[in-house]
Amino acid sequence: MALDASQKEAERQRALDYHEFPKPGKLEIRPTKPMATARDLARAYSPGVAEACTEIAADPAKATRYTAKRNLVAVISNGTAVLGLGNIGAQASKPVMEGKAVLFKKFAGIDCFDIEVDEADPEALADIVCKLEPTFGAINLEDIKAPDCFTVERICRERMGIPVFHDDQHGTAIVVAAAAQNALKIAGKQPEDIKIVGLGAGAAGVACLTMLHKMGVPLENITVFDRDGVLHPDRQNLAPEQMLFTRSEQSTTLEQALKGADMFLGVSGPGALPADYVREMADNPIILALANPVPEIMPEEAREASPGAMIATGRSDYPNQVNNVLCFPFIFRGALDAESKEINDAMKLACVDAIASLARQTTSAEVGVAYEGETLTFGPEYLIPKPFDPRLLPTIAVAVAKAAMESGAARRNLDLEAYRQTLEAEVFRSSLIMRGVFAAARRSKRKIVFAEGEDDRVLRAAQAMVEDSVDTPILVGRPEVVAGRLERAGLSIQPGRDFEIVNPESDDRYRDYWQAYHEVMRRQGVTPDLAKAVLRTNTTAIAATMVHRGEADSMICGTFGQYLWHLNYVTQMLATNELSPAGALSLVILDEGPLFVADTHVNVEQTPETLARTVLAAARHVRRFGAEPKIALCSGSQFGNLDSRSGRAMRGALAILDSEARDFEYEGEMHTDAALDANLRERLLPGNRLSGRANVLLFANTDAAGAARNLLKTAAGGLEVGPILMGMGNRAHIVTPGVTPRGLLNIAALAGSDVSSYG
């Protein structure tokens, strides 16, 4: 959707606000050790810190034991080649470097300092970087222009004993090589037999071609062009890395080179590959058109020119996006954990193989849910995995660590299976747990009706939905009120174009709605006049009726009012013998990982039967997020030591659950500290059936569950997703009055995911 000038300015301001508020920048530093007492301070600094210093002085390798070095990366740039902005200088590059540091943290749990250096001379810049070695476990060079980047990396790799990785070169090259490996498998071709034409001889282009050569493509089969024409032996001022590809005749043209070529690699500019040239390529050519945001040739043009073409771009709105985030967080994770001296060719090729093999594997259940509606079967439309595939971290990091150990680069030997298990657990403790849900919402094309469509928070969430997903918002509200608030908030969405609107005062379907409501409620004391009154004033009932009639796939309500009041109307219209409220589940995202709390709103006082049903529903929904449920039944009683109401209810629920085999872990009744502390729990009940930290806390009444949820949000700084209404087939969700626009967007993503089988 093209934006006009005012919309572009509004979007620009939103981007600036994102970087400025609530505090400038995207990073902060937090302590990882207790700092609450004088003893803590004495250990953190003087005199206790001297013990760590003397150990490191005696053995420098111990820095990775007593400091954060093994998990600390420097993202370093001089700002000479920033994104599509060019040479904007070191300071202007800082937002980008902060962003890269955030990606390291979010995708792989790696801490970063971004360092912007005002130094244009590549040898001087390299000297500065080398002097930082005592601080960091690895160096990520970023956005340094070619050919300077080759010089900087070469010097740093020669002088430093830690990994140095220029992601613009090698991250892109690794993902390209993975896509090429799989495309060649599909085409039935071998690397040594193919002919490649490259357009663009900068850092990324040269690195990609070098990686393809290391995969087995002969140098004489590679022809490279840049803005000055073909690379040939008489070209001047080429870096040694570029000279590797100067084997062509000076007179060679791009059109000539592409005749019969098997692969085109473009890292140049928009529209640089004419469709006529593609027609002259070999059958089923591989087109890697990576210029961003407009590639060298649009995928539809390339496919029209050669129907069997396998195409990858840098864009997220086409299949096979070549995105460095598939690589760099995870290759660094493996290198750091193995305490590697470098990231060598063996580690890069291991990363290539890991990414490529992951795309060939059967898609896991959580990835299938996250990318509902997309083709995730290995083939021309799925050559490389999706960025939010949770298997990327354990698969790539383990492969890289293994290669580091086998190639002699590692200083630390890892138990690879134990390492894999640690990484797999880490994946589901991260706040990325919602990312897959958002991706699913972008593919599902569901209609989501907001009962309180006039609320500013709803309008902002609807704006974000339109920008970030393919779901259609439906707003229940007066058109003139909605229009006025959209204008006041500076939002660009418009009724008819971006969302549907239902006017509770005069919608043409009013008669159909009240009659549908009356038909359902006629034997529950609702007269036609009462049905008319309800459907004229009660927006929750309107939304529920729309879902009942199939005019919307799911509804969201609750931005004002009491939860159970809304639940009454939701249940009236949407509950059936198969679907009825089983409980409300809140996901609270903490620094330590996600924690689910139930039942926070539905069953005010639980019975053994409702508790057992809530447990089963919670287990289904936890798996919706790609995690295995470990459910603790929490009570004031601990393993039978108190004859309280909650203790009896929990013991009754356990008996019901134990009556059949279950495929998830649960245990009770216990205090919450025992649920979260496996060592304490083992002392209290040796051999209990819950392993590790529980990830679901189930309480016997909404008072206790709500208190736990609120404490986790406020005192522990958790971010809530939910409450998630379980048992209703994903057809309804009820938020709470304190919900933020982001919270509504999270719920909309859940509602927008076509996962009704979760109940």
Side-chain angles (χ1 to χ4, degrees):
M1 182 179 67
L3 300 178
D4 60 29
S6 63
Q7 291 171 331
K8 289 180 179 178
E9 179 57 31
E11 180 57 34
R12 176 179 178 276
Q13 189 58 51
R14 280 191 288 270
L16 292 173
D17 289 347
Y18 172 84
H19 286 85
E20 183 176 2
F21 303 109
K23 63 170 63 174
K26 299 185 289 289
L27 296 169
E28 66 179 8
I29 296 174
R30 297 185 181 185
T32 60
K33 299 294 192 298
M35 298 290 289
T37 66
R39 178 179 295 176
D40 294 336
L41 295 177
R43 290 173 176 170
Y45 198 55
S46 181
V49 72
E51 303 301 334
C53 293
T54 54
E55 287 289 307
I56 296 169
D59 181 2
K62 289 186 177 179
T64 59
R65 289 182 60 185
Y66 299 121
T67 74
K69 180 173 181 175
R70 199 174 75 207
N71 197 49
L72 192 60
V73 168
V75 177
I76 301 178
S77 179
N78 64 357
T80 53
V82 179
L83 296 174
L85 303 174
N87 187 352
I88 60 174
Q91 185 154 290
S93 75
K94 187 172 179 63
V96 179
M97 301 311 121
E98 284 188 355
K100 193 64 174 274
V102 166
L103 294 179
F104 269 111
K105 187 65 174 179
K106 289 296 183 182
F107 280 93
I110 295 171
D111 295 317
C112 285
F113 289 152
D114 64 288
I115 300 177
E116 295 74 34
V117 183
D118 187 11
E119 177 55 72
D121 180 83
E123 294 188 4
L125 176 59
D127 189 56
I128 292 169
V129 175
C130 291
K131 291 176 180 178
L132 297 174
E133 182 172 352
T135 300
F136 297 100
I139 303 293
N140 182 93
L141 300 174
E142 193 79 14
D143 292 351
I144 302 169
K145 71 177 182 179
D148 294 357
C149 59
F150 302 128
T151 302
V152 175
E153 186 184 40
R154 186 167 58 246
I155 293 172
C156 290
R157 286 173 59 87
E158 290 171 354
R159 290 173 51 186
M160 300 180 80
I162 59 176
V164 179
F165 187 86
H166 185 207
D167 184 49
D168 298 331
Q169 293 183 59
H170 308 299
T172 305
I174 286 167
V175 181
V176 161
Q181 182 185 114
N182 281 339
L184 290 173
K185 284 183 179 291
I186 294 170
K189 299 178 181 180
Q190 298 300 317
E192 58 269 23
D193 299 326
I194 67 169
K195 176 183 174 183
I196 297 177
V197 176
L199 183 57
V206 169
C208 290
L209 293 167
T210 301
M211 182 63 70
L212 292 168
H213 168 56
K214 290 174 180 175
M215 285 175 54
V217 180
L219 286 172
E220 56 267 25
N221 290 6
I222 301 174
T223 305
V224 187
F225 296 80
D226 64 7
R227 62 171 59 92
D228 296 320
V230 71
L231 269 61
H232 59 85
D234 295 328
R235 284 279 299 268
Q236 302 298 314
N237 301 322
L238 293 178
E241 290 81 359
Q242 295 167 314
M243 289 295 297
L244 187 66
F245 300 101
T246 56
R247 294 170 181 265
S248 302
E249 294 292 332
Q250 185 173 351
S251 60
T252 304
T253 66
L254 180 63
E255 183 178 9
Q256 292 170 341
L258 280 167
K259 288 182 179 179
D262 301 279
M263 183 186 299
F264 169 81
L265 172 68
V267 194
S268 55
L273 177 62
D276 288 345
Y277 293 9
V278 174
R279 292 188 181 94
E280 299 298 319
M281 295 179 69
D283 292 338
N284 304 320
I286 301 164
I287 309 291
L288 305 170
L290 306 183
N292 235 343
V294 181
E296 286 79 2
I297 186 169
M298 295 301 292
E300 49 267 30
E301 294 179 67
R303 189 159 286 112
E304 182 181 354
S306 181
M310 288 172 280
I311 306 160
T313 71
R315 292 173 59 132
S316 62
D317 53 348
Y318 287 96
N320 301 321
Q321 182 193 17
V322 174
N323 189 333
N324 288 13
V325 81
L326 284 170
C327 165
F328 75 81
F330 315 116
I331 196 169
F332 271 94
R333 180 75 280 159
L336 288 167
D337 291 339
E339 295 186 20
S340 181
K341 293 175 285 188
E342 61 181 352
I343 295 178
N344 57 28
D345 287 346
M347 296 160 72
K348 295 174 192 174
L349 290 169
C351 189
V352 171
D353 291 341
I355 294 172
S357 66
L358 195 55
R360 298 194 297 267
Q361 295 175 18
T362 302
T363 303
S364 65
E366 63 269 18
V367 178
V369 171
Y371 293 94
E372 185 76 20
E374 281 199 51
T375 300
L376 298 180
T377 302
F378 177 60
E381 300 287 287
Y382 189 64
L383 298 173
I384 45 180
K386 296 295 184 180
F388 299 120
D389 190 328
R391 300 171 299 175
L392 285 166
L393 175 59
T395 300
I396 296 176
V398 169
V400 169
K402 181 174 184 289
M405 290 189 291
E406 291 177 348
S407 65
R411 296 186 179 95
R412 181 185 181 210
N413 286 320
L414 298 169
D415 179 330
L416 291 177
E417 185 54 37
Y419 180 46
R420 179 185 298 277
Q421 292 174 3
T422 299
L423 293 173
E424 287 175 347
E426 186 175 313
V427 167
F428 300 111
R429 287 202 303 269
S430 76
S431 61
L432 289 174
I433 197 166
M434 277 300 298
R435 299 282 183 161
V437 176
F438 273 101
R442 293 188 184 99
R443 307 295 187 270
S444 60
K445 297 185 179 180
R446 285 164 63 88
K447 291 187 173 183
I448 313 299
V449 55
F450 290 86
E452 296 97 26
E454 298 175 0
D455 191 289
D456 287 347
R457 295 166 294 175
V458 170
L459 297 177
R460 293 185 182 278
Q463 173 87 27
M465 282 180 64
V466 170
E467 293 173 348
D468 297 339
S469 78
V470 294
D471 293 329
T472 300
I474 304 173
L475 307 183
V476 181
R478 294 162 292 176
E480 67 277 9
V481 175
V482 171
R485 292 182 178 176
L486 286 172
E487 183 178 2
R488 183 180 65 193
L491 303 178
S492 62
I493 54 173
Q494 298 177 14
R497 185 190 70 184
D498 301 310
F499 65 90
E500 299 177 22
I501 193 163
V502 177
N503 186 350
E505 295 181 340
S506 61
D507 193 276
D508 292 341
R509 295 164 290 184
Y510 168 66
R511 180 181 180 85
D512 297 332
Y513 288 171
W514 77 253
Q515 287 183 339
Y517 181 76
H518 178 254
E519 181 64 27
V520 173
M521 298 298 296
R522 61 190 298 179
R523 291 192 177 276
Q524 297 183 48
V526 174
T527 65
D529 287 340
L530 181 55
K532 292 176 184 178
V534 170
L535 270 294
R536 183 67 78 192
T537 60
N538 188 320
T539 58
T540 297
I542 293 171
T545 302
M546 292 183 69
V547 176
H548 170 74
R549 284 167 47 85
E551 295 175 6
D553 298 295
S554 190
M555 64 169 288
I556 298 172
C557 60
T559 59
F560 67 86
Q562 204 272 338
Y563 191 98
L564 294 178
W565 182 91
H566 291 281
L567 182 62
N568 175 54
Y569 292 99
V570 169
T571 304
Q572 285 177 357
M573 294 306 296
L574 301 180
T576 65
N577 290 335
E578 294 78 26
L579 300 174
S580 61
L585 180 71
S586 285
L587 163 60
V588 184
I589 301 172
L590 304 167
D591 288 343
E592 298 81 7
L595 187 61
F596 297 85
V597 181
D599 167 18
T600 54
H601 291 88
V602 174
N603 299 292
V604 176
E605 290 290 343
Q606 297 260 37
T607 65
E609 292 75 19
T610 61
L611 281 166
R613 186 169 179 235
T614 303
V615 167
L616 296 173
R620 292 195 300 271
H621 276 270
V622 169
R623 283 179 170 150
R624 179 178 179 180
F625 292 90
E628 279 302 307
K630 298 183 179 184
I631 303 178
L633 282 66
C634 298
S635 167
S637 173
Q638 186 133 265
F639 303 121
N641 71 353
L642 186 63
D643 188 27
S644 63
R645 184 192 181 286
S646 67
R648 292 192 297 271
M650 292 296 181
R651 291 192 288 274
L654 282 173
I656 295 171
L657 293 168
D658 289 345
S659 65
E660 296 181 28
R662 309 296 177 188
D663 62 350
F664 59 90
E665 296 181 23
Y666 61 93
E667 185 60 282
E669 78 281 13
M670 68 184 80
H671 296 173
T672 53
D673 58 350
L676 299 175
D677 185 338
N679 293 328
L680 172 61
R681 188 171 62 250
E682 187 63 24
R683 292 203 303 271
L684 296 170
L685 187 67
N688 68 86
R689 52 189 167 183
L690 197 62
S691 62
R693 178 178 181 267
N695 58 10
V696 182
L697 305 179
L698 178 70
F699 295 90
N701 56 62
T702 55
D703 285 350
R709 160 185 167 265
N710 288 330
L711 283 169
L712 290 170
K713 286 168 54 182
T714 55
L719 173 67
E720 182 186 21
V721 178
I724 303 163
L725 181 57
M726 302 185 293
M728 295 299 294
N730 202 31
R731 297 201 297 168
H733 291 286
I734 305 170
V735 298
T736 56
V739 70
T740 64
R742 174 60 58 179
L744 279 167
L745 184 61
N746 287 336
I747 289 295
L750 287 161
S753 305
D754 188 10
V755 286
S756 58
S757 60
Y758 285 97

